[in-house]
Amino acid sequence: MMNWKYCVLVAFVALSLSSCKTELDRFKSNYSLEITNEKNNWSDDDTVQISLVDDASMGADSIVWYQNARKLEDAEGNTLSRKLTNQPLGTLTYKAVVYRNNMVATAATSINRMNPAAPKIYNYNIVNTYPHDESAYTQGLEFHNGKLYESTGQYGESDVRITQVETGEVLEKKELGKDIFAEGLTILDDKVYQLTWRSRFGYVYDLNLNETDTFKYNQSKEGWGLCNDGEFLYKSDGSDKIWKLDPDTYEELEYIQIVSNKKTFEKINELEYVDGKIYANIYQENAVFILDPKTGALEGVLNMTTLKDQIPNWDKEDNVLNGIAYDKSTNRLFVTGKRWHKMFEIEITE
């Protein structure tokens, strides 16, 4: 026969756990966010005002506010007032994380902001044509000290290499594991950063391609394109987001979206930072998008439709435009694609 004291203890523990669970569930579902000055069209001159609604008056020990995954250090209390000048476009998401008695609840809301101006449409001239390794499934390109660093993809074929742009000669190459699908690449402070696609981590090398570190992804779903502004990394993940990363801690600080006057864009792929702007390729689109890295505003579209006429295999599988490199020492812009036998130096024309 079971001891009655044990039965009472079990019943008491079960009741206590049930009570805690009820309180926790009630706590998590209690909070919501309300935009108190809701509008259909938000401009840079507006200020969004948001209140944390505490339906059951449970209270909070502290509240941490976020905008597009970025912690707002200057925000506190139950209300948020945020000026929209120079803030990201697209879906601007606000989140309040509420802490009370070792419990955590989250509430979120969002506003939508379109780019008030239509992008300019640009064309191009081919300045020079150089040979490119036709077997290279190009994922990332970047110049550094006159050398062209390239990341190539596909399982069983991925590598990171240094090439001579004028001849296409591969000077150095590091092959990756057969289970790795390499993606974008960038160089900052003499560190070469390389993404992988679905492995959810990236590599760090020195300038001679010796591996020095690896880093994990956090909120971003995959690895696609990579560039830097001299201080931060910018990473696309195949969605409509470009994430801003700390190059030392690899923390994903916030994100932007590419936003025109009509829509936002997904499948953001190769990235390059050029004179204060991000140049982005949309996967399987014959165009390069020029955007503001602070707001995501699509300022220009470089129409590259006719470039495929230079590539006999452009329509095979996904041998598409995917490679942008800017040599800032000579002010030269280069583009190529996956398994293209040519690399093009181009100049942009209106």
Side-chain angles (χ1 to χ4, degrees):
M1 179 179 293
M2 188 175 294
N3 187 298
W4 68 272
K5 292 182 178 180
Y6 176 77
C7 293
V8 171
L9 178 61
V10 170
F12 174 77
V13 171
L15 182 61
S16 298
L17 290 175
S18 175
S19 175
C20 290
K21 185 175 184 299
T22 301
E23 183 182 5
L24 179 60
D25 290 344
R26 185 162 147 263
F27 174 74
K28 287 184 175 180
S29 63
N30 181 61
Y31 299 95
S32 62
L33 293 183
E34 178 183 10
I35 299 174
T36 58
N37 62 334
E38 187 68 72
K39 299 182 63 175
N40 290 326
N41 298 302
W42 295 90
S43 73
D44 273 8
D45 295 328
D46 291 325
T47 298
V48 61
Q49 297 175 353
I50 304 173
S51 293
L52 178 68
V53 179
D54 181 0
D55 288 326
S57 300
M58 298 189 73
D61 296 332
S62 63
I63 302 167
V64 179
W65 290 89
Y66 294 85
Q67 174 185 282
N68 279 11
R70 176 166 64 93
K71 184 178 179 180
L72 301 177
E73 302 289 354
D74 57 344
E76 58 182 19
N78 291 353
T79 60
L80 175 70
S81 181
R82 195 75 180 165
K83 184 80 171 176
L84 295 179
T85 305
N86 294 325
Q87 297 305 311
L89 299 174
T91 301
L92 194 53
T93 300
Y94 294 95
K95 181 174 70 174
V97 180
V98 183
Y99 298 89
R100 176 180 175 272
N101 294 341
N102 296 319
M103 296 185 293
V104 182
T106 300
T109 190
S110 63
I111 62 174
N112 290 302
R113 304 182 63 215
M114 302 309 293
N115 188 354
K120 293 181 179 180
I121 306 300
Y122 297 99
N123 287 313
Y124 68 95
N125 292 324
I126 297 176
V127 178
N128 285 302
T129 302
Y130 301 106
H132 180 252
D133 183 0
E134 191 172 357
S135 69
Y137 193 80
T138 303
Q139 302 287 66
L141 286 175
E142 187 147 335
F143 273 98
H144 186 78
N145 291 340
K147 296 179 180 179
L148 184 65
Y149 287 73
E150 182 171 0
S151 173
T152 73
Q154 286 292 357
Y155 292 114
E157 301 178 32
S158 293
D159 64 49
V160 57
R161 59 180 69 181
I162 305 173
T163 66
Q164 174 61 254
V165 67
E166 286 79 11
T167 65
E169 178 187 1
V170 178
L171 304 177
E172 293 183 53
K173 182 168 73 171
K174 178 181 177 65
E175 296 181 349
L176 306 185
K178 295 185 181 300
D179 60 337
I180 297 298
F181 195 123
E183 286 279 352
L185 171 147
T186 195
I187 302 170
L188 176 60
D189 294 333
D190 292 340
K191 296 179 182 179
V192 181
Y193 298 83
Q194 182 187 34
L195 300 176
T196 64
W197 182 27
R198 290 178 171 172
S199 300
R200 296 197 59 79
F201 76 92
Y203 295 102
V204 184
Y205 310 95
D206 63 21
L207 294 177
N208 295 316
L209 305 185
N210 299 303
E211 183 181 329
T212 60
D213 199 5
T214 60
F215 61 96
K216 294 181 179 180
Y217 306 159
N218 295 302
Q219 299 178 74
S220 59
K221 52 186 268 187
E222 295 176 354
W224 283 46
L226 197 63
C227 71
N228 76 86
D229 64 0
E231 184 177 2
F232 297 100
L233 306 179
Y234 294 86
K235 172 185 181 290
S236 62
D237 65 354
S239 70
D240 61 355
K241 296 178 175 61
I242 298 177
W243 294 84
K244 184 177 180 179
L245 275 65
D246 184 301
D248 297 317
T249 66
Y250 314 115
E251 179 185 0
E252 293 164 354
L253 304 171
E254 58 181 320
Y255 62 83
I256 58 171
Q257 299 167 297
I258 300 181
V259 185
S260 73
N261 57 322
K262 295 181 178 180
K263 60 181 288 187
T264 59
F265 295 86
E266 298 182 342
K267 295 185 178 181
I268 306 167
N269 203 6
E270 231 283 85
L271 305 176
E272 184 76 6
Y273 196 84
V274 182
D275 286 339
K277 306 296 180 182
I278 291 179
Y279 284 37
N281 169 234
I282 305 299
Y283 181 53
Q284 294 186 325
E285 296 289 340
N286 293 308
V288 173
F289 286 16
I290 303 171
L291 61 137
D292 183 336
K294 292 183 179 179
T295 66
L298 179 59
E299 298 180 350
V301 176
L302 176 56
N303 181 3
M304 309 209 71
T305 303
T306 58
L307 192 63
K308 67 179 185 292
D309 298 335
Q310 304 281 333
I311 306 299
N313 69 340
W314 72 271
D315 59 344
K316 293 180 181 179
E317 298 179 354
D318 57 353
N319 297 352
V320 294
L321 176 73
N322 194 55
I324 311 167
Y326 177 62
D327 186 354
K328 60 184 178 182
S329 65
T330 59
N331 194 31
R332 295 186 299 167
L333 182 65
F334 297 79
V335 294
T336 189
K338 302 173 185 289
R339 305 199 196 283
W340 285 17
H341 73 298
K342 295 179 181 179
M343 180 177 293
F344 303 94
E345 178 188 344
I346 62 170
E347 62 178 7
I348 298 175
T349 62
E350 291 197 28

